[in-house]
Amino acid sequence: MPETITPAVPPTPPVTLSALLAREDLGLRQIAGPTDPGIVIHWAHTSEMADPYPYLLGGELLLTAGVHIPEGPDVSAYFDDYVSRIVAAGGAALGFGLAPVHDTVPPALVAACESRRLPLLEVPPQTTFSGVARAVWQLMAQARLAELRRVTEAQQSLAAAAARQDPVPSVLRQLAQRLGGRAVLYGPDGTEVAGAGREPAASPGASREPAVGAGAGREPVEGAGAALAALAGVVRPAARTTTPPDPTDRRPHAPGTPPAPGTRPQPAATPPGTRLTPITSSARPQAAAAPSARPQPAATPSATPGAPPPRPQPSSATDAFGATHLAVYALGAGEGFVLGVATPRREPGDHTIASVAAVLLTLLTGEHQSGAGAARSSALVRLLLGAPPGEVAPLLGAGRWLVVHARPEAQAPDPVAASALGAALGSPLVDLGGDVVRVLMPADREPAPQPGWTLGVSAPAEPHEWPAADTQAARALARARATRAPLLRHAARPALADLVPPADAETHARSLLAPLSGQPALAETLRSWLSLHGSWDRTAVALGVHRNTVRQRIARCAGLLGADLDDPDVRMELWFALRRG
């Protein structure tokens, strides 16, 4: 007989067998097998095959009318083999229809199901198999709706908790309350930073012995809390010290305590028989991984040459301590913080709720705990208190900077889209103002076109040149939108105008453009019109006005300046003045 297979369950919530039996319209009656309220089914399937094993995925309520039953005085051996094959395929229960072949359920089938501990249901003549299948899907839909409602309510409460004065403890309290267990935030060194909720009671059969494979002398894990702390070490980055580890040193250290200098961080101990499995997107517990597939801490950079490549560091993992379900989540800021959850049971939607809490805690811990975040806060405070940009810039980084102006091609940007753009460009210095997003980024990072955005990039600038660079980026963005280019840069190469002394050039520009003084709209329209080679439509797009408005303004400029704007020499001289003015 083949080994019992693991049910390939669908991503829909399971239905308890007791809920199906409670449907009065079906009239189902259990006549054999266990009556555990935790028995669940994932679908209903009808088959009259004598051997349904090849056609089952596991978790089914198999429905049959007994057409396949052979004739004969003693069919006990047939039923024993039939039921054993259903159990081996992972079938959850068997439903036997009393019509139209059999008037009663064969006693030998009842005995076989009782022996193999397979729930056996009697389906009355008035109940069709399609009606049973429909009831199963109706119960699944109800369970799914309840799960979605529970997850939505939890998301709202967690978001509200994150906005309170003490956001981290508030999020942990809400998470523990929603999951009915305990939620803990572990720091980079493994110590408990904050926690909420009550630790689930240990099962009487929970082991207190050292984990199999743990180093000699390792302390046994005591209680679900200690097991959760040990599991957190699986997803925490292993290499957080600057001292190269000694591969020959196997001295153990207690969970949550940094290893002695020069020692290799050891995987945390876990009770024997527990399973470490990556958490999947399903809200339902998954099958345990084989021991060889058990997640391990990532190898340190000083791995032995020629050794196999290190396994990817898992971002989440599950385990069990007796009847207590354990789950840990590495927070995405990369600072070594880990969220741990211990619950007395695993409910649909638990993983989604815990993942939402992990995202919120990542935002609450990552930025404020990092040196870069502290430096940015310090820079902001100094600017507000009057410090010049040149003194503040070293806190943000050395070197020159670029200013990027960006506008989305579709709707107006929101804070989430602005943050995503900053992350794509590699800079957290983002400002959202109206329909334009401004990003300040180091000049050594090359900005690339971003899908769905139009970008204008300034020339590299020192901190005291940031205002001028901001103007350059704005003009580059206007030209990019007018020419439908995804990204345009401000021209940084030397120009003919650089050959004229700056003081003389500025004096000439003021004199030539004097008739336009006090009318910035006219000067900006003339600048854009000349930069776009006299195109009325593209200038209108760049300025966000009607093309007739552009025509009227250019005509007004020509009249005030007393110049023929169709003359290339006049255009060149005006462009020179506008660049200097």
Side-chain angles (χ1 to χ4, degrees):
M1 185 177 66
E3 292 184 2
T4 302
I5 66 173
T6 300
V9 297
T12 52
V15 174
T16 62
L17 186 59
S18 59
L20 189 64
L21 290 171
R23 289 281 297 255
E24 296 182 357
D25 57 321
L26 299 178
L28 303 178
R29 184 170 66 95
Q30 183 171 353
I31 58 177
T35 59
D36 183 0
I39 297 176
V40 297
I41 56 178
H42 297 281
W43 36 40
H45 177 67
T46 301
S47 174
E48 296 299 338
M49 301 292 293
D51 181 14
Y53 180 93
Y55 307 98
L56 300 181
L57 295 176
E60 294 96 345
L61 166 62
L62 180 63
L63 300 170
T64 179
V67 177
H68 57 88
I69 299 175
E71 297 181 359
D74 186 9
V75 290
S76 299
Y78 173 83
F79 281 128
D80 186 68
D81 182 64
Y82 176 71
V83 173
S84 66
R85 296 286 286 176
I86 297 174
V87 173
L94 175 64
F96 192 90
L98 297 183
V101 182
H102 298 270
D103 295 331
T104 60
V105 180
L109 178 59
V110 176
C113 288
E114 192 68 40
S115 174
R116 297 289 180 176
R117 297 190 58 77
L118 178 68
L120 176 61
L121 309 184
E122 179 187 84
V123 183
Q126 69 273 14
T127 300
T128 62
F129 286 174
S130 60
V132 175
R134 181 177 60 184
V136 170
W137 288 112
Q138 286 175 346
L139 291 172
M140 284 185 176
Q142 294 173 6
R144 182 60 173 168
L145 180 60
E147 177 186 336
L148 292 175
R149 184 181 295 112
R150 174 173 176 254
V151 169
T152 301
E153 293 174 352
Q155 289 176 335
Q156 293 173 349
S157 64
L158 288 170
R164 292 174 184 165
Q165 189 174 4
D166 53 344
V168 171
S170 296
V171 169
L172 292 175
R173 283 195 298 268
Q174 276 296 326
L175 180 61
Q177 178 182 348
R178 293 289 173 175
L179 301 187
R182 179 164 176 78
V184 181
L185 177 64
Y186 297 103
D189 59 353
T191 58
E192 181 176 324
V193 176
R198 180 179 301 177
E199 180 178 321
S203 171
S207 174
R208 296 293 187 270
E209 297 300 324
V212 177
R218 186 178 296 278
E219 294 295 328
V221 174
E222 293 288 345
L228 185 63
L231 182 62
V234 175
V235 299
R236 183 180 298 109
R240 297 193 62 84
T241 61
T242 57
T243 305
D246 181 4
T248 63
D249 192 333
R250 301 294 181 184
R251 291 175 295 174
H253 58 276
T257 304
T263 62
R264 180 185 298 273
Q266 297 292 325
T270 55
T274 59
R275 300 178 295 277
L276 302 180
T277 60
I279 295 180
T280 67
S281 59
S282 172
R284 182 177 303 106
Q286 301 299 309
S292 60
R294 180 172 298 180
Q296 300 292 337
T300 61
S302 58
T304 304
R311 295 181 180 181
Q313 186 75 22
S315 60
S316 56
T318 60
D319 201 349
F321 185 82
T324 301
H325 181 84
L326 309 178
V328 291
Y329 302 79
L331 302 191
E335 297 297 318
F337 289 88
V338 177
L339 170 64
V341 179
T343 56
R345 58 191 174 276
R346 180 72 167 173
E347 298 287 349
D350 284 1
H351 171 60
T352 304
I353 295 172
S355 298
V356 172
V359 171
L360 292 173
L361 291 172
T362 296
L363 298 175
L364 294 171
T365 59
E367 177 71 11
H368 297 291
Q369 296 295 336
S370 65
R376 287 192 292 273
S377 298
S378 177
L380 175 60
V381 171
R382 295 190 187 186
L383 284 173
L384 292 175
L385 296 179
E391 295 181 5
V392 173
L395 294 173
L396 304 176
R400 295 193 296 172
W401 297 79
L402 296 175
V403 178
V404 179
H405 280 219
R407 283 188 62 169
E409 297 174 358
Q411 59 188 13
D414 54 33
V416 175
S419 298
L421 175 65
L425 295 176
S427 174
L429 303 174
V430 180
D431 172 56
L432 172 60
D435 55 359
V436 175
V437 177
R438 300 188 298 174
V439 182
L440 183 63
M441 59 184 297
D444 58 358
R445 298 178 184 173
E446 189 70 14
Q450 301 298 319
W453 292 85
T454 302
L455 276 64
V457 183
S458 73
E462 298 291 342
H464 67 276
E465 300 172 325
W466 284 350
D470 185 54
T471 303
Q472 293 174 0
R475 292 173 179 170
L477 174 61
R479 285 180 52 80
R481 294 185 65 243
T483 57
R484 298 183 180 179
L487 184 149
L488 277 183
R489 301 173 182 274
H490 178 78
R493 61 183 177 84
L496 182 64
D498 296 329
L499 302 177
V500 180
D504 295 343
E506 292 173 3
T507 300
H508 173 74
R510 286 195 299 269
S511 174
L512 184 62
L513 300 175
L516 303 183
S517 60
Q519 302 184 68
L522 294 180
E524 185 60 28
T525 301
L526 181 59
R527 184 197 308 275
S528 296
W529 183 73
L530 291 174
S531 71
L532 295 171
H533 312 291
S535 171
W536 308 108
D537 292 332
R538 287 189 293 174
T539 303
V541 171
L543 297 176
V545 297
H546 195 274
R547 64 194 308 270
N548 289 340
T549 302
V550 176
R551 288 182 178 275
Q552 293 170 3
R553 290 180 180 178
I554 296 300
R556 177 67 173 159
C557 290
L560 291 174
L561 296 172
D564 179 9
L565 297 184
D566 292 329
D567 187 336
D569 291 333
V570 173
R571 289 192 181 190
M572 181 186 68
E573 187 176 9
L574 288 174
W575 179 247
F576 173 86
L578 287 167
R579 285 175 55 85
R580 291 293 179 178

